[in-house]
Amino acid sequence: TGFARLELELGPFFGIRDAFGELAAVAGARFATERVALLAHLETREDCRRQGYARALAAAAVRALEGPERRVVVQLNEGEQAAQALFASLGFRGTQEFRVFAF
């Protein structure tokens, strides 16, 4: 997984390393303002899945990012049932569908 240098400067990132010191999972904010933080890059290495890393990182990121005036949001693609279930179990709820246009 690659991260843009600017992304690493705009929001905090969290990681879990395996017994060999290799990165097993990562989560972080694509950006964080006073009012909103976009949680992104929740990824777990394939051989480290089903061990609770994604849940632990998502929960830690939310605790670090949320505040009295700041909401934490995630953007999920259609069909990401596992991610939808994870975030729903952490208290997130779907709010709306939207379309992105590019030129």
Side-chain angles (χ1 to χ4, degrees):
T1 299
F3 300 97
R5 184 173 200 72
L6 181 59
E7 282 182 300
L8 296 173
E9 294 175 13
L10 292 177
F13 278 78
F14 304 86
I16 295 176
R17 296 190 179 274
D18 64 16
F20 303 103
E22 298 294 323
L23 194 59
V26 65
R30 177 157 287 148
F31 66 83
T33 69
E34 291 180 11
R35 296 183 44 90
V36 66
L38 176 60
L39 182 58
H41 296 298
L42 182 59
E43 299 177 37
T44 303
R45 211 173 63 213
E46 193 168 334
D47 64 315
C48 295
R49 293 186 179 154
R50 311 287 308 156
Q51 297 182 42
Y53 292 162
R55 174 176 300 285
L57 286 174
V62 168
R63 283 192 304 273
L65 293 168
E66 71 182 346
E69 301 295 322
R70 183 190 294 155
R71 294 185 72 172
V72 179
V73 299
V74 295
Q75 177 184 337
L76 301 176
N77 294 321
E78 190 175 331
E80 293 182 317
Q81 287 87 5
Q84 290 172 3
L86 170 66
F87 285 110
S89 74
L90 293 172
F92 285 79
R93 58 181 168 71
T95 57
Q96 65 183 342
E97 292 184 29
F98 66 95
R99 299 180 190 272
V100 175
F101 297 87
F103 65 94

